[in-house]
Amino acid sequence: QCSRMSKWASEIEANAQEKLLSLRECLETGLQQNYDILIERNLQRISDNNATAANAGMLPTLGLTAGYMGSADRTETTPVEGDKMVDNAAFDQTVDVGLSLNWTLFDGMRLRANYNKLRELQQKGELQTRLTIEDFVADLTAEYYNLIQQTLRLKNFRYAMALSRERLRITEARYQIGDFSRLDLLQARVDFNADSSQYMSQQELVTSSRIRINELMANKSIDEKCVAQDTVIKVNDALQWDALSA
């Protein structure tokens, strides 16, 4: 009895350490961290920046060119009489500056077609981002309620396994005193093993659902413990029945 109570107490303490998340909190976290949404938003920013008249070639372009060149000359002069003269101070400099303005006024409606294409790509990026967000919200919402369902089933299997364990204990005790047959004992063990197997399989389903939620929210660890809030009603655990009924 004491070991059973201590086990239940440890399970309650473990559940208390898990993070209770509402659907809204999960969606807010996922919308900020989900990689697919971040990628689509970046692509949408690129398409928004590209959808300009300048990228379509409809605006004039201004070009500036500049150049600089310098040369140093060494001059030697040999007079008819006297010593040879050398001049190293000859230095020539050349600076070139050019400014050009280009503006295509008409090229057979190609500019307008390019601009319309960029605008269509911009709208496509907006729609793709919206679809990605809607798919994410649908997937996370479905998985959130699936976690609630699987958690409730886990509690039911845990209760059924506890009943089978208690039945097995009673059957073993009555078998020892000769009140039950060996067939009854074997049947009780089979039922307990079957309930235990269902409970362990259900634990795997709950773990898989939690991992999927962590993946959708792009948490740092897919093993992060979280508990789905199965009700919006907050119960005050400090309430006392005697005080309420008085």
Side-chain angles (χ1 to χ4, degrees), residues 55-175:
N55 287 331
M58 302 177 66
L59 299 182
T61 59
L62 183 63
L64 176 65
T65 59
Y68 172 80
M69 183 178 62
S71 63
D73 298 330
R74 184 173 183 271
T75 305
E76 294 183 359
T77 303
T78 303
V80 179
E81 295 180 356
D83 297 332
K84 181 173 63 175
M85 300 176 60
V86 178
D87 186 6
N88 294 324
F91 183 72
D92 297 331
Q93 301 182 66
T94 302
V95 178
D96 297 325
V97 178
L99 186 64
S100 61
L101 178 64
N102 298 318
W103 192 358
T104 302
L105 298 179
F106 183 76
D107 64 346
M109 303 302 294
R110 182 178 179 181
L111 296 178
R112 176 58 61 179
N114 289 337
Y115 183 67
N116 292 335
K117 178 182 178 180
L118 295 176
R119 293 294 300 272
E120 290 294 333
L121 292 176
Q122 181 185 15
Q123 295 180 3
K124 178 182 177 181
E126 295 176 354
L127 292 176
Q128 187 64 38
T129 302
R130 184 183 303 174
L131 289 175
T132 302
I133 293 177
E134 291 178 354
D135 290 341
F136 164 77
V137 172
D139 292 341
L140 183 56
T141 302
E143 195 60 46
Y144 183 86
Y145 287 109
N146 179 58
L147 177 60
I148 293 177
Q149 180 182 6
Q150 300 302 334
T151 303
L152 292 177
R153 295 187 63 187
L154 180 65
K155 293 179 181 179
N156 294 334
F157 283 130
R158 184 189 295 119
Y159 180 71
M161 186 180 65
L163 292 179
S164 298
R165 185 189 294 112
E166 184 64 17
R167 177 192 172 194
L168 177 60
R169 185 189 66 81
I170 296 174
T171 304
E172 288 177 345
R174 300 186 67 175
Y175 173 74

Side-chain angles (χ1 to χ4, degrees), residues 6-26:
S6 61
K7 183 178 181 181
W8 288 348
S10 61
E11 289 181 356
I12 294 175
E13 183 180 357
N15 292 333
Q17 294 176 355
E18 295 177 344
K19 187 177 181 181
L20 182 63
L21 293 175
S22 64
L23 178 59
R24 180 174 181 176
E25 292 173 338
C26 292

